[in-house]
């Protein structure tokens, strides 16, 4: 499981962003505390506005303690100076997110009714508005709610979820608040939609390929996939359309990214070949097996005293063999002669960039949350970076990709 927290996964994306978090009277209101906490940890300035009903579920004090900021509630005198503040908030907001939003507040917004602080703020803001509905499945399914949601969608509201699962009624259905990772991912994606990669399609590969020996065994490597996922999220947060071709099903799937699941090097080769004709850049962070068993046994291989010799054959070199009008970026994970080996791969595979990763460095490389890398271009320029979280490495690599794309 990808244990990286959202503040690490979002890099500097949320830092100093003014986020208005609206909370309405749903049983899922307690989850908004975690959203407020994660956004605050990621460096955002979070101003919470609670409807009166929301304060029945969670106290304003909780949000105040978590965000370190005053919470707007209906309890404030509408004629006070503080009531002006919420209009200022609407203007200052980089983004407004209402999570959870009830059917009632959805209906009010769809009708343009502004009889509380939250709806006033939404009507007064020019910032993008995201809403994450949470309610009983039948209420969500009701054509009135669906009509109201369609109206809001037509007005450029972004709707996240709801998710399917157990509801407060004890029944299972579609109505649970979307996963917090998805809500924070959608916030990052929305904030970055006009970023420097907007209009570009970036293909990223991730994870170690699995080459089957028999129906139960495979040959693989220690790649965690975290670098590829960080690249996919970073590219999404800079406005790119992203295809992530991955061998891993256990990491948190980034919202807003097209995911293609593969197992073997051959499958990855085919998936990459299918998408690159429309792509502007291919970033191969996957640790593709260089060899695979020459044949896969149909039945489980039995243990014998004689031991076992496996015959291996080469896999297709994806980066080396796929050519086209797109920027090609490779990774070189090396335990010795890092720069020399990386430069060789850059030439052999005709790359625009290679990211050399010293896997012997402490707390860097496979499975770690950080990497110490050098980015090398065909002219021999080397940018050596300090030990950085993978998301920051991803952004440094994408800085170069954006530069190359803008020069095309
Ligand atoms: O395995 P190696 O260190 O040579 O990988 C260098 C780069 O080539 C990586 O970006 C990797 O994803 C890519 N590669 C590939 N196809 C292979 C082996 C590696 O595309 N069969």
């Amino acid at each position: 499981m990808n244990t990286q927290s959202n503040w690490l996964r979002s890099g500097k994306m949320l830092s100093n962003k003014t986020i208005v978090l609206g909370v309405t009277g749903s049983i899922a209101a307690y989850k908004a505390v975690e959203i407020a906490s994660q956004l605050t940890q990621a460096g955002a300035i979070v101003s919470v506005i609670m409807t009166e009903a929301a304060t029945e579920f969670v106290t304003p004090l909780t949000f105040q303690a978590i965000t370190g900021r005053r919470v707007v509630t209906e309890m404030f005198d509408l004629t006070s100076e503080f009531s002006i503040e919420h209009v200022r908030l609407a203007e200052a907001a980089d983004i407004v997110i209402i999570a959870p939003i009830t059917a009632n507040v959805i209906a009010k917004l769809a009708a343009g009714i502004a009889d509380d602080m939250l709806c006033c703020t939404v009507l007064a803001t020019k910032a993008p508005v995201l809403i994450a509905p949470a309610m009983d499945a039948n209420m969500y399914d009701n054509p009135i709610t669906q009509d109201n949601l369609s109206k809001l969608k037509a007005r450029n509201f972004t709707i996240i979820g709801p998710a399917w699962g157990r509801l407060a009624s004890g029944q299972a259905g579609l109505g649970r608040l979307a996963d917090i990772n998805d809500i924070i991912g959608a916030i990052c994606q929305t904030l970055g939609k006009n970023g420097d990669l907007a209009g570009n399609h970036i293909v990223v590969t991730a994870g170690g390929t699995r080459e089957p020996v028999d129906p139960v065994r495979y040959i693989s490597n220690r790649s965690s996939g975290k670098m590829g996922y960080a690249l996919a999220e970073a590219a999404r947060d800079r406005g790119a359309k992203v295809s992530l071709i991955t061998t891993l099903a256990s990491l948190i799937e980034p919202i807003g990214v097209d995911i293609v699941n593969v197992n073997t090097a051959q499958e990855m080769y085919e998936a990459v070949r299918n998408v690159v004709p429309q792509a502007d850049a291919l970033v191969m962070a996957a640790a593709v097996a260089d060899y695979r068993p020459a044949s896969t046994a149909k039945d489980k291989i039995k243990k014998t005293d004689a031991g076992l010799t496996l015959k291996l054959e080469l896999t297709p070199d994806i980066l080396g063999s796929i050519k086209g009008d797109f920027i090609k970026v490779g990774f070189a994970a090396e335990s010795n002669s890092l720069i020399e080996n990386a430069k060789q791969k850059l030439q052999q595979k005709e790359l625009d960039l290679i990211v050399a990763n010293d896997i012997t460095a402490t707390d860097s490389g496979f499975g770690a949350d950080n990497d110490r890398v050098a980015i090398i271009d065909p002219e021999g320029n080397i940018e050596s970076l300090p030990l950085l979280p993978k998301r920051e490495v991803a952004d440094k690599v994408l800085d170069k990709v954006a530069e190359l794309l803008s020069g095309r």
Side-chain angles (χ1 to χ4, degrees), residues 3-309:
T3 51
Q4 271 189 302
S5 51
N6 277 300
W7 70 264
L8 255 181
R9 290 174 57 211
S10 58
K12 295 196 163 63
M13 200 56 216
L14 297 166
S15 163
N16 288 319
K17 294 290 187 312
T18 299
I19 300 179
V20 170
L21 172 62
V23 184
T24 73
S26 152
I27 186 72
Y30 76 94
K31 295 183 184 168
V33 177
E34 184 59 26
I35 298 171
S37 167
Q38 291 199 20
L39 292 173
T40 306
Q41 285 177 55
I45 302 152
V46 183
S47 291
V48 175
I49 306 180
M50 301 177 78
T51 61
E52 200 176 342
T55 62
E56 301 285 329
F57 291 90
V58 189
T59 70
L61 185 62
T62 308
F63 285 108
Q64 188 176 315
I66 292 283
T67 63
R69 299 177 67 76
R70 215 153 42 146
V71 173
V72 179
T73 67
E74 298 306 317
M75 284 176 288
F76 287 96
D77 178 0
L78 279 168
T79 59
S80 75
E81 163 234 343
F82 197 51
S83 73
I84 309 295
E85 170 140 339
H86 90 274
V87 176
R88 208 184 50 74
L89 258 183
E91 280 168 12
D94 290 303
I95 193 164
V96 176
I97 160 97
I98 311 178
I101 187 166
T102 56
N104 185 42
V105 177
I106 289 170
K108 283 208 288 185
L109 287 176
I113 297 170
D115 65 350
D116 63 20
M117 292 286 218
L118 179 58
C119 293
C120 284
T121 308
V122 171
L123 259 65
T125 194
K126 296 253 187 289
V129 183
L130 272 59
I131 55 174
M135 66 193 73
D136 170 70
N138 288 335
M139 275 177 93
Y140 176 70
D141 200 33
N142 190 297
I144 301 173
T145 309
Q146 289 301 317
D147 270 4
N148 288 334
L149 282 169
S150 303
K151 272 187 200 151
L152 294 181
K153 210 170 176 180
R155 298 278 176 220
N156 279 333
F157 283 56
T158 301
I159 301 162
I160 314 156
W164 197 92
R166 189 183 176 281
L167 303 171
S169 61
Q171 308 279 318
L174 199 58
R176 274 172 80 84
L177 184 71
D179 187 272
I180 293 181
N181 295 302
D182 287 350
I183 291 174
I184 294 185
I187 293 173
C188 291
Q189 182 181 21
T190 304
L191 286 169
K193 70 171 186 293
N194 299 319
D196 59 358
L197 292 176
N200 288 293
H201 181 184
I202 314 272
V203 179
V204 179
T205 63
T209 61
R210 296 171 174 182
E211 311 301 332
V213 174
D214 67 17
V216 293
R217 305 180 179 97
Y218 58 77
I219 297 174
S220 192
N221 56 64
R222 294 176 55 203
S223 168
S224 68
K226 285 180 183 173
M227 190 64 229
Y229 277 62
L231 280 157
E233 288 180 324
R236 173 199 68 192
D237 297 348
R238 297 168 78 141
K241 167 179 158 62
V242 182
S243 300
L244 173 63
I245 300 169
T246 173
T247 60
L248 295 140
S250 58
L251 294 181
I252 295 170
E253 285 193 0
I255 193 173
V257 163
D258 292 329
I259 297 188
V260 182
N261 285 108
V262 295
N263 278 305
T264 62
Q266 184 64 33
E267 286 171 16
M268 185 170 277
Y269 171 73
E270 282 158 24
V272 171
R273 210 181 41 185
N274 278 342
V275 290
V276 283
Q278 302 98 44
D280 298 289
L282 167 65
V283 186
M284 286 280 312
V288 185
D290 290 322
Y291 298 97
R292 66 184 169 211
S295 62
T296 304
K298 201 158 64 50
D299 295 311
K300 186 180 168 194
I301 298 171
K302 297 280 177 291
K303 185 171 81 175
T304 67
D305 290 341
L308 177 68
T309 305

Side-chain angles (χ1 to χ4, degrees), residues 205 265 284-290 315-320 329-334 345 349 351 354:
T205 63
M284 286 280 312
V288 185
D290 290 322
T315 57
D317 182 344
I318 304 172
L319 257 188
V329 183
F331 275 70
E334 304 287 345
K345 282 178 191 169
K349 302 188 189 218
L351 306 180
I354 194 151

